[in-house]
Amino acid sequence: MGAGTSPADPASAGPEADGPDSAAEGGSTATGNTEADAGAGAGRPVSGSEAGEPGGGATPAEPGGEAPAPRRSRRFPLFTRDTARPEGGGRAAPGDAPAPARQWPLLTVLCTAGAGLLIVALDPFAEAFRIGTILIGAALIAGAVLRWVVPSVGMLAVRSRFTDLVTYGLMGTLIVLLALVAQPRPWLDVPILEDAVRFTIR
């Protein structure tokens, strides 16, 4: 009861002084105001704080009721964490086989090329340089054939099948041709090459 008011003042008594009918009317008025507020709120957007979301703005939902998936960035990652396996880069043998058996195509090429390098380095017989070089080129050509025929070649697959075929085949063929036309006493005579050498020397 505030200062300057008397108990006999009807304005200070509130809804209780008017009796139960007035209280009922006041309650219905309050209920009507609450319903009006709810109806008015149905037509306005709900903020993130009212929806209870920590991020603020509300995420628009799809008609089915599921929230849309977040968009992935199109930027390249700062650190590369994984690389895609090249075509045909699977195991050349089942997983329970030992490691050399799973990588036999690569080991075949490496062992053949290593044998050619060893022959060239040791020079144990006449024409060892030519034979060793031909063996190295044949190893690369064999790698191209394996890459084409075998479905899974393990670590012998570096890029796509087409790229590996061109790389192995071209390099192996060039090495074999250079070994065949090497001087002195070449095993393969190429008249165009001889003319080009003579023109260059002149």
Side-chain angles (χ1 to χ4, degrees), residues 35-184:
E35 292 176 357
D37 293 338
R44 62 181 177 86
V46 180
S47 62
S49 59
E50 294 177 354
E53 295 182 0
T59 303
E62 294 181 352
E66 299 179 356
R71 292 185 59 185
R72 298 181 60 183
S73 175
R74 298 180 63 182
R75 294 182 179 178
F76 290 101
L78 183 60
F79 299 102
T80 302
R81 303 184 184 277
D82 193 8
T83 56
R85 177 181 295 177
E87 179 187 2
R91 300 187 186 96
D96 54 352
R102 295 196 298 266
Q103 300 295 335
W104 68 265
L106 177 65
L107 293 177
T108 301
V109 174
L110 289 179
C111 290
T112 307
L117 289 173
L118 191 62
I119 292 173
V120 171
L122 298 179
D123 197 11
F125 50 86
E127 301 290 344
F129 172 78
R130 196 184 307 273
I131 293 176
T133 308
I134 291 175
L135 199 57
I136 295 172
L140 292 175
I141 295 175
V145 173
L146 289 174
R147 190 71 174 94
W148 183 28
V149 175
V150 181
S152 298
V153 293
M155 296 179 65
L156 187 62
V158 180
R159 299 291 183 183
S160 65
R161 181 172 277 110
F162 176 78
T163 304
D164 290 342
L165 279 172
V166 172
T167 304
Y168 293 148
L170 186 60
M171 291 180 62
T173 303
L174 288 177
I175 291 174
V176 171
L177 288 177
L178 288 175
L180 291 176
V181 300
Q183 299 291 333

